[in-house]
Structure formats: C-alpha cells, structure tokens
Amino acid sequence: MSFHRGASVRLMGVAVGVLIGSMSALTQVRGAQEGAAPPASFTATAIPGVVAAGTKIELVATGLGRTEGPVAMPDGSMLVSSSNRILKADLSDNVSTFIADSNETNAMGWDLKGRLVSVQRARGNEKVGVLYPREQVTTLVDKYQGKAFNALNDLALDKRGGIYFTDTEGIYYLPPGGSVTRIIDDVPNPNGVVLSPDERTFYAHNKDGTHMLAFDVTPDGKISNRRDFARYKSVRIPGHADPALAEDNGADGMAVDSEGRVYAATNVGVEVFSPRGDLLGVMPVQWGAENNRIRHPQNVAFGGPDRKTLYMVGAGTIYKVRTLSQGPERPTK
C-alpha cells in the first residue's frame, strides 16, 4: 500500500470535466448517462439551530467516481473514500490523494489509538481493518462464524474501543479485545449506523422501511429496545422511472451533532431530526431529476477546525455547508 499527500489539485466550479488525476472513458460515459452536472451551490432553507436561511451549500469537488465514507481529520480536513483510494479535502478545498490503495474502502472512522479504521470491500478480501498509519495496517475481523462478510457497508466506533458495522446479513459488534457478534439479523438491507453523543442510543438506517431505527445501548456495547425513531421524508416510489427511487428510500450515511440531532442522507437530500425523532428540516441537495436520474448525498460528516462544517458526499461529489450546529468531538491525536 502506498501513501501520497502531495500533488494537490484545486477542484471547484460546475464543470464536470474538472477531475483529480485521470478519469477513464467509461467513467465519463457513465457520468453523461446519469444526468446533468451537479450545481455549484444550493441554497439552504432555515433549520432552527442547524442552518440559517439562505446559507450556501457549496460544491467542493466533482467527477470523483464513487464517493463514500467521509470522516474528519484532527485539523478538520475531510477524508473521503473514492473508488479504491482515499482523498483528502483540506481546509482550503484542495483535494489530493491521501491513500492510493484502500482495498475498496467504504466507511471510515478513527479509533482510540488514532488509527483510521475502515470497512473494506474488495472481492475475496472483505474485512474491517486498520487502513492508516501505514505501519499499523492490520485486519481486525474478516469472518463471522467462519463465513466471509457480504458487502460490508458502514461502521460506527464507540469510546470503549468497540466497532459496530454492517453488511447485507445484519449489524455486528466487535468489542475491544473480544470476538465479533451479530447483534441485528432481522433488518433487511441495513445501511448507515451512528451513535448518539452520549453513546446511549444506537441509530440504524432501514432503506426498505419508513422509519429510522433506534436502540438502547448497554455499558458493554450490546443493544436492546428496538423502536421506530424517525419517519423519513424520503420514501420508496415503486415503478418510478429512476431505478434508485424505485428501489428504496435512499437512506444511507448518518451523522450526529453535539446536541444529539441526527443527520440522514436520503433521496431528498439531508434530513435533520431532533433527538426525539421530529423532522426539523431538509437540506435540499438533489439534482438530475430532469433526466429521471436523481443524484443526492449518500454520506455526511462534520469537519472544519471548529466542527461547524457539514460535508456531504455522494455521486462523485463533495459539498459543504457552514452550520450553526457543531459536530461531536474528534479524536485528540
């Protein structure tokens, strides 16, 4: 595995052709088929305590291939998974390659040791492992009851040193120094997961359902008391011309702020819920409807030096918006 932090390139504006490095002809054709270029900005409507009316949601970069799993670095720069590499968007919106070979990483998070942990999806080599620093790269878990994982997707790390993660078979928990267990096996198509700031509540997306799910968390990391937490504004539309809308509600990545509000990337943009599950508003980041190929953020994360910049990634793009709210504390390393 090789690591590169140089060769930064400024990626701004509305031109789809502004790319990092080289882009294959196949990717260019696919992008043309999927619809119009993402706009340079969107205008937020007011969400009390979250974002002021008229705030611009700004395009940082586009043409990045598959964008997933954003996570902030200690200085507030943002790491984003892009196909088989990890990109870094610094505080000036310069984007560079941070890790050149990520074993098809999807979601990422920092553990208590300051290591970058990720779910890695390369065919025949799916695992949860340490991706960075280079000298600490290792596999943490690659099987459950002797069976390889199937399409690992998201993760959430707790302050105990445990790791929650998902694949198509369910939701798992790897306790510090322990063995992995499957803690949820009755949620079809689970996706994003996140913990409340006090880590007493565990949230999980159900892309096939109408509600985000919530669970109580015990001191040993186990979960109980499953319940419907928040009703999505986004819903599946059977028979829609856009296959994404026909398939599910688009509920994907999640984030929480320091006040316990939950931010959910869905087909309508970014839905924001109160700690009680009330829909507070939606950040309307959505484009391509005129071609029946709606594009929208698939993951969200707080960054910036004051943790008041919400990054939204997906469909080959990175957007950001300055918020009134603040993300949870990051690792100190």
Side-chain angles (χ1 to χ4, degrees):
M1 181 181 295
S2 61
F3 295 77
H4 304 279
R5 295 183 179 83
S8 296
V9 57
R10 182 75 169 180
L11 297 175
M12 298 182 65
V14 299
V16 174
V18 181
L19 306 179
I20 298 174
S22 63
M23 181 178 184
S24 70
L26 175 61
T27 303
Q28 294 179 30
V29 170
R30 183 179 298 146
Q33 292 174 341
E34 290 181 348
S41 67
F42 296 90
T43 301
T45 54
I47 303 177
V50 174
V51 64
T55 302
K56 292 298 182 182
I57 303 170
E58 301 172 314
L59 182 66
V60 175
T62 189
L64 305 180
R66 179 183 63 86
T67 44
E68 293 278 358
V71 64
M73 299 188 73
D75 71 347
S77 299
M78 187 60 54
L79 297 182
V80 176
S81 176
S82 175
S83 299
N84 193 38
R85 59 186 172 169
I86 306 300
L87 304 177
K88 175 184 175 181
D90 69 18
L91 300 181
S92 298
D93 294 345
N94 299 306
V95 180
S96 59
T97 298
F98 184 73
I99 297 175
D101 182 357
S102 71
N103 196 40
E104 301 291 343
T105 277
N106 208 58
M108 300 180 284
W110 296 100
D111 71 6
L112 299 177
K113 300 177 182 179
R115 303 179 302 178
L116 184 65
V117 175
S118 72
V119 293
Q120 301 171 29
R121 305 176 51 154
R123 187 177 297 275
N125 192 26
E126 293 206 32
K127 59 188 174 183
V128 179
V130 176
L131 192 61
Y132 174 87
R134 181 177 183 178
E135 64 273 12
Q136 297 184 44
V137 168
T138 189
T139 297
L140 299 176
V141 61
D142 61 2
K143 292 180 178 65
Y144 174 67
Q145 295 184 344
K147 182 181 178 182
F149 295 113
N150 180 25
L152 289 168
N153 194 327
D154 203 358
L155 58 66
L157 285 73
D158 65 30
K159 296 174 184 176
R160 293 176 287 268
I163 305 171
Y164 297 89
F165 61 96
T166 69
D167 76 355
T168 57
E169 303 296 321
I171 302 178
Y172 305 81
Y173 183 63
L174 179 64
S179 300
V180 65
T181 58
R182 188 158 63 200
I183 56 175
I184 299 175
D185 60 7
D186 59 350
V187 177
N189 202 15
N191 203 298
V193 292
V194 74
L195 289 159
S196 62
D198 62 10
E199 299 195 350
R200 295 180 180 178
T201 307
F202 176 79
Y203 302 103
H205 271 324
N206 180 4
K207 294 183 74 172
D208 295 329
T210 59
H211 287 79
M212 183 190 302
L213 303 176
F215 303 80
D216 294 335
V217 182
T218 61
D220 61 358
K222 296 179 180 178
I223 62 174
S224 63
N225 188 28
R226 170 178 167 169
R227 56 196 181 274
D228 290 342
F229 168 70
R231 185 176 181 85
Y232 300 114
K233 182 179 180 65
S234 175
V235 295
R236 177 175 175 262
I237 307 174
H240 195 281
D242 186 336
L245 298 182
E247 180 182 7
D248 54 48
N249 59 28
D252 203 326
M254 285 194 280
V256 295
D257 66 23
S258 59
E259 299 298 318
R261 289 175 284 248
V262 184
Y263 298 67
T266 73
N267 284 336
V268 298
V270 178
E271 303 183 36
V272 184
F273 299 95
S274 76
R276 296 190 302 273
D278 301 317
L279 179 63
L280 302 176
V282 178
M283 298 186 192
V285 183
Q286 183 192 75
W287 69 98
E290 66 278 5
N291 297 294
N292 283 324
R293 290 294 185 275
I294 292 177
R295 297 293 168 255
H296 55 86
Q298 294 170 292
N299 289 273
V300 289
F302 280 96
D306 56 1
R307 310 195 308 277
K308 285 190 173 184
T309 300
L310 184 70
Y311 286 82
M312 314 170 192
V313 308
T317 67
I318 303 173
Y319 280 95
K320 69 176 185 179
V321 61
R322 287 290 294 169
T323 59
L324 305 173
S325 53
Q326 187 176 48
E329 293 186 11
R330 295 187 293 266
T332 56
K333 185 170 180 176

